Amino acid sequence: MAAQRIGLRLSIGLSLLAAASSAVAYDGTKCKEPGACWEPKPGYPARVAGSKYDPKHDPKEVAKQELAHKAMDERNEKRWKHFQETGVWKYDVK
Amino acid sequence: MRLHMRGARGMLLVGGMLLHLTMTSSVASANEELIRLAKDERNWVMQTKDYTVQRFSKLDQIDTSNVKNLQPAWSFSTGVLHGHEGGPLVVNGIMYVHSAYPNNVYAIDLEHPEKIMWEYRPKQNPAARAVACCDLVNRGLAYGDGKLILSTLDGQLIAMDAKTGKVIWNVETADVSVGQTQTQAPFVVKDKVIIGSAGAELGVRGYVTAFNLKDGKKVWRAFATGPDKDILLDKDFNKQNPHYGRFGLGLKTWEGDAWKIGGGTNWGWYAYDPKLDLIYYGSGNPAPWNETMRPGDNKWTMTMWGRNPDTGLAKYGYQKTPHDEWDYAGINYMMLTDQVINGKMTPLVTHPDRNGIIYTLNRETGSLVAADKIDPSVNWTRKVDLKTGIAIRDPEFSTRMDHKARGICPSAMGYHNQGLDSYDPRSEIFFMGVNHICMDWEPFMLPYRAGQFFVGATLSMYPGPKGYLGEVKAYDVKTNSMKWEKAEKFSVWGGTMATAGNLVFYGTLDGWFKALDSGSGEELWKFKLPSGVIGHPITYEHNGKQYVAILYGVGGWPGVGLVFDLNDPTAGLGSVGAFKELAKYTKMGGGLMVFALPEGR
């Protein structure tokens, strides 16, 4: 009898827990401010830095795209200037 | 030929022309020329047919009564394999055909389709092939002011003389060493060429750039993430819908510097409203696919944009999929229609997204008008609340680390992908080529190295609950419902075209070119092409005769298993398993087929 009751109580407890966690699970509707409605999922960190999910991005790698844009823009500008000055388009800027 | 020009649309175009007459002459000519050429059914002057993207032809020589007699008139091989996306252009009696990598261009005089008038074969960096996520596709050419514009996989934007193919200017728009490529068709608006970006699967931060059509000078560039000054927000950005979010969110909705490799590339399509002077497009998915590595809403990835084409400044942005967890890259086409909504003629932009929702906004204000599921089996969201603009997520179908999510619909390939669809302005019905694919998804941690893939998820994809992979659907935004639906064995990847002959044309991955009755969806004609189709049909009139043309050459994401000979069902970002049957129906190809009615019919 006692064991059965404990089992029953346990299963009620678990189902309440499941209901509670789905009620707080990230559904996109609870916003900190307009346009910012992200929440961590139950059991997941609000910040990944320092957690086991830290992406540990290398700042040098992350900066490379910006450098690529700058270099392309400079070469394109040279091409355009050469075109303005000579009326001839030259792709090779070397 | 019956003319069915709707009053509202006619006024819109005339209004646009008047507006532009007040600007400088070269500005006026580029716009006026394209609007005039697009109205003439002898042309197909941009991939989207015209700025509305309705892709509806007033030609009706081929109709429901005689389409059964349609037969090949001539054909052309591009000499290139791999996926042939987009379609040919027809301008002033010349057809322009592009190919997959290495992106060759061929001009064909329609008086002599047996002969190549000129060809252009770009020299490009072959390393581009290794950083292309999903086959070596290209979505086609653009035309404006006597120039033909090509983007190459390695990122060149090339303007050539449309009569001779001689290069007038060429610039760099992407650097393959950091994973940037181009697959998008350029878009000409006023005196500018607009070109997007690709490479979110390699952590590329998305950007869109405008160059002068005349001399290739960069005019503006707008990024999808980061500081507001990089995203180019107008001072009144989202003023009419402040609940969408306004300023600072390109940084605030990311942790640390993650936005610098945050995706949001736009490789889809544009629309333009000359009266409102706004261009419309969507930014793509955030990087990496592993959601746990990028907490936050990740703005402004997955966003529908309305921007001024002269300054690039955004008047509004609506994020469809905050904190994407499924790679629902939000780049699909935007189509402009004017319809009576709640008793009032409303300027609309309609957009069937990868995430399975067909969004319709008021294209002037950005306000949400409708957000309907393409199919009831969409399960990542319960519904989109039109008042808040929020998609209410079902946590059961979320993705996260240390968890294999199952049965998510749609899959990463979306219930709709890059295909350009059509709309009949007489019936006010949209004809959508859709996918019916669901998936399992399990993320994993990975580092970012510039120039290398940055995905971080293993996927299995399979047919949706209906048991097949594709459909064509006729959608009515006014009733939020489908008028008819037709099943397809494979995804309808390449889009549709509608005509005043009450027909809807489309190609299939297994190589059929089909015509349906646009009123009922009944199949009236089909022809087996040499290879599968991932591009869209076009139609034009030449010497009084109506022709229908389509590129064939299977590939793209659904074709990667077949194209690269992959067998692991999770390879090809999970598409190999879903499309394992495709190789039993088609092989690679590359060319154009042109159809017409036989003489005397």
Side-chain angles (χ1 to χ4, degrees):
Chain A
M1 262 313 258
Q4 250 183 2
R5 209 175 296 146
I6 289 166
L8 189 69
R9 216 177 284 154
L10 248 178
S11 76
I12 290 171
L14 281 174
S15 63
L16 277 177
L17 197 73
S21 73
S22 76
V24 299
Y26 169 44
D27 69 355
T29 63
K30 294 173 274 300
C31 306
K32 266 188 282 186
E33 64 174 289
C37 312
W38 180 82
E39 293 179 286
K41 292 171 186 144
Y44 288 78
R47 283 185 64 79
V48 287
S51 81
K52 68 169 171 170
Y53 302 120
D54 190 339
K56 294 178 187 155
H57 292 311
D58 177 347
K60 257 191 228 159
E61 291 293 327
V62 164
K64 280 184 178 173
Q65 291 180 40
E66 199 175 339
L67 296 174
H69 275 298
K70 199 165 167 273
M72 282 191 284
D73 284 352
E74 281 170 11
R75 288 192 292 271
N76 287 341
E77 182 73 12
K78 272 187 199 165
R79 290 169 183 132
W80 179 79
K81 273 198 178 134
H82 182 268
F83 185 51
Q84 295 306 299
E85 286 160 11
T86 65
V88 179
W89 189 272
K90 194 163 157 266
Y91 184 74
D92 190 351
V93 292
K94 278 170 210 151
Chain B
M1 195 173 73
R2 290 184 298 246
L3 288 177
H4 290 282
M5 191 71 187
R6 287 182 74 83
R9 228 156 67 72
M11 275 169 65
L12 187 144
L13 293 175
V14 171
M17 276 194 260
L18 286 175
L19 186 76
H20 298 302
L21 281 174
T22 61
M23 301 186 181
T24 67
S25 62
S26 74
V27 169
S29 68
N31 249 334
E32 274 179 31
E33 181 200 26
L34 282 173
I35 289 167
R36 177 177 55 79
L37 289 172
K39 271 203 249 186
D40 184 337
E41 299 291 349
R42 289 173 298 184
N43 298 313
W44 194 284
V45 77
M46 54 186 98
Q47 296 296 323
T48 56
K49 189 175 193 287
D50 59 30
Y51 284 137
T52 69
V53 192
Q54 291 179 10
R55 297 172 39 78
F56 174 79
S57 171
K58 294 190 283 284
L59 297 176
D60 62 357
Q61 196 177 79
I62 303 165
D63 64 18
T64 49
S65 72
N66 60 22
V67 68
K68 63 180 184 290
N69 301 319
L70 204 57
Q71 62 183 38
W74 56 279
S75 62
F76 176 75
S77 168
T78 61
V80 174
L81 297 176
H82 287 277
H84 281 57
E85 281 186 357
L89 298 184
V90 178
V91 189
N92 296 327
I94 299 170
M95 182 181 283
Y96 300 98
V97 180
H98 72 286
S99 81
Y101 177 92
N103 312 124
N104 296 341
V105 180
Y106 305 96
I108 297 166
D109 182 343
L110 292 177
E111 289 295 314
H112 300 285
E114 71 282 1
K115 191 180 163 200
I116 298 164
M117 192 177 150
W118 59 257
E119 65 185 289
Y120 176 73
R121 293 197 271 177
K123 286 192 182 60
Q124 58 174 311
N125 182 355
R129 291 179 298 185
V131 291
C133 81
C134 311
D135 199 16
L136 314 178
V137 296
N138 181 289
R139 296 185 189 84
L141 300 158
Y143 174 88
D145 201 23
K147 298 180 188 74
L148 204 63
I149 326 288
L150 168 75
S151 69
T152 62
L153 189 66
D154 75 348
Q156 297 171 60
L157 185 70
I158 304 169
M160 58 194 96
D161 185 308
K163 289 219 167 69
T164 63
K166 187 178 172 293
V167 172
I168 298 168
W169 54 260
N170 52 342
V171 292
E172 291 172 81
T173 73
D175 181 342
V176 298
S177 77
V178 294
Q180 298 166 340
T181 49
Q182 289 292 4
T183 58
Q184 188 179 54
F187 189 67
V188 173
V189 170
K190 299 187 177 180
D191 59 345
K192 292 180 185 67
V193 185
I194 293 170
I195 185 75
S197 49
E201 279 58 57
L202 295 93
V204 171
R205 178 189 178 206
Y207 54 98
V208 53
T209 316
F211 294 91
N212 271 341
L213 179 58
K214 192 174 142 223
D215 58 16
K217 186 176 173 57
K218 184 180 116 177
V219 187
W220 54 261
R221 172 170 297 144
F223 287 89
T225 68
D228 290 349
K229 67 172 174 40
D230 288 8
I231 306 174
L232 295 187
L233 300 183
D234 189 275
K235 64 177 176 26
D236 290 334
F237 176 68
N238 277 349
K239 197 177 178 182
Q240 281 153 304
N241 290 286
H243 56 288
Y244 290 176
R246 297 190 68 190
F247 303 109
L249 295 164
L251 292 173
K252 264 197 276 186
T253 59
W254 295 85
E255 183 179 324
D257 281 352
W259 58 269
K260 289 188 177 175
I261 49 171
T265 51
N266 64 300
W267 43 272
W269 310 97
Y270 301 89
Y272 173 59
D273 183 332
K275 189 173 146 216
L276 299 171
D277 202 21
L278 289 174
I279 55 166
Y280 305 90
Y281 72 94
S283 47
N285 58 291
W289 288 11
N290 181 343
E291 67 84 41
T292 306
M293 290 174 65
R294 46 169 175 80
D297 278 43
N298 307 140
K299 282 187 165 57
W300 291 91
T301 61
M302 307 299 222
T303 297
M304 291 176 77
W305 294 100
R307 286 187 188 273
N308 178 296
D310 294 320
T311 61
L313 289 172
K315 185 181 178 195
Y316 61 79
Y318 167 66
Q319 190 183 38
K320 298 161 286 180
T321 316
H323 186 71
D324 170 59
E325 303 179 8
W326 313 270
D327 181 39
Y328 296 148
I331 59 80
N332 293 355
Y333 70 81
M334 306 279 166
M335 191 191 288
L336 314 185
T337 68
D338 295 315
Q339 299 188 58
V340 175
I341 303 286
N342 298 328
K344 195 170 169 239
M345 184 59 88
T346 312
L348 304 174
V349 51
T350 293
H351 168 72
D353 191 66
R354 280 265 275 275
N355 72 14
I357 306 290
I358 308 165
Y359 294 89
T360 298
L361 309 185
N362 178 318
R363 71 173 180 268
E364 186 171 7
T365 62
S367 302
L368 256 173
V369 170
D372 298 315
K373 290 187 176 181
I374 293 180
D375 191 80
S377 56
V378 171
N379 62 15
W380 72 274
T381 178
R382 294 193 171 99
K383 65 163 195 166
V384 177
D385 182 332
L386 292 181
K387 198 158 159 255
T388 62
I390 287 171
I392 302 164
R393 305 157 90 97
D394 184 343
E396 191 182 338
F397 299 103
S398 75
T399 73
R400 53 198 186 271
M401 273 299 294
D402 306 318
H403 170 75
K404 184 171 180 177
R406 293 174 196 276
I408 301 169
C409 305
S411 77
M413 298 179 94
Y415 271 180
H416 194 289
N417 204 286
Q418 61 82 41
L420 272 179
D421 286 330
S422 56
Y423 169 84
D424 189 330
R426 305 165 307 168
S427 60
E428 299 186 330
I429 297 293
F430 299 88
F431 306 104
M432 297 182 175
V434 312
N435 304 341
H436 190 63
I437 315 171
C438 301
M439 67 174 172
D440 301 344
W441 171 300
E442 188 172 18
F444 58 87
M445 298 294 291
L446 82 172
Y448 172 77
R449 298 274 179 271
Q452 294 183 21
F453 275 82
F454 186 50
V455 175
T458 306
L459 282 68
S460 307
M461 301 199 226
Y462 37 80
K466 291 174 184 167
Y468 42 75
L469 289 163
E471 283 175 292
V472 181
K473 297 196 179 205
Y475 170 70
D476 185 345
V477 69
K478 297 183 300 302
T479 57
N480 311 96
S481 64
M482 299 295 168
K483 195 177 165 203
W484 52 257
E485 305 180 353
K486 182 188 180 295
E488 277 290 347
K489 183 169 179 58
F490 295 103
S491 300
V492 182
W493 197 262
T496 69
M497 175 195 69
T499 72
N502 298 318
L503 295 168
V504 181
F505 289 90
Y506 64 99
T508 70
L509 285 171
D510 49 342
W512 290 104
F513 188 21
K514 296 185 177 183
L516 310 185
D517 182 320
S518 60
S520 65
E522 187 194 347
E523 187 174 296
L524 300 177
W525 172 83
K526 66 177 177 179
F527 184 92
K528 189 76 161 79
L529 297 166
S531 176
V533 175
I534 56 172
H536 52 247
I538 71 157
T539 187
Y540 61 93
E541 184 191 310
H542 182 68
N543 291 339
K545 198 170 175 71
Q546 184 184 359
Y547 294 85
V548 184
I550 193 161
L551 292 174
Y552 64 82
V554 80
W557 195 359
V560 291
L562 181 155
V563 162
F564 296 106
D565 201 17
L566 306 172
N567 294 308
D568 176 351
T570 66
L573 303 169
S575 95
V576 170
F579 289 95
K580 60 181 186 292
E581 291 286 302
L582 191 55
K584 293 180 185 165
Y585 293 84
T586 190
K587 295 295 152 189
M588 291 168 81
L592 171 87
M593 287 284 285
V594 183
F595 294 82
L597 294 172
E599 296 299 331
R601 300 251 186 170

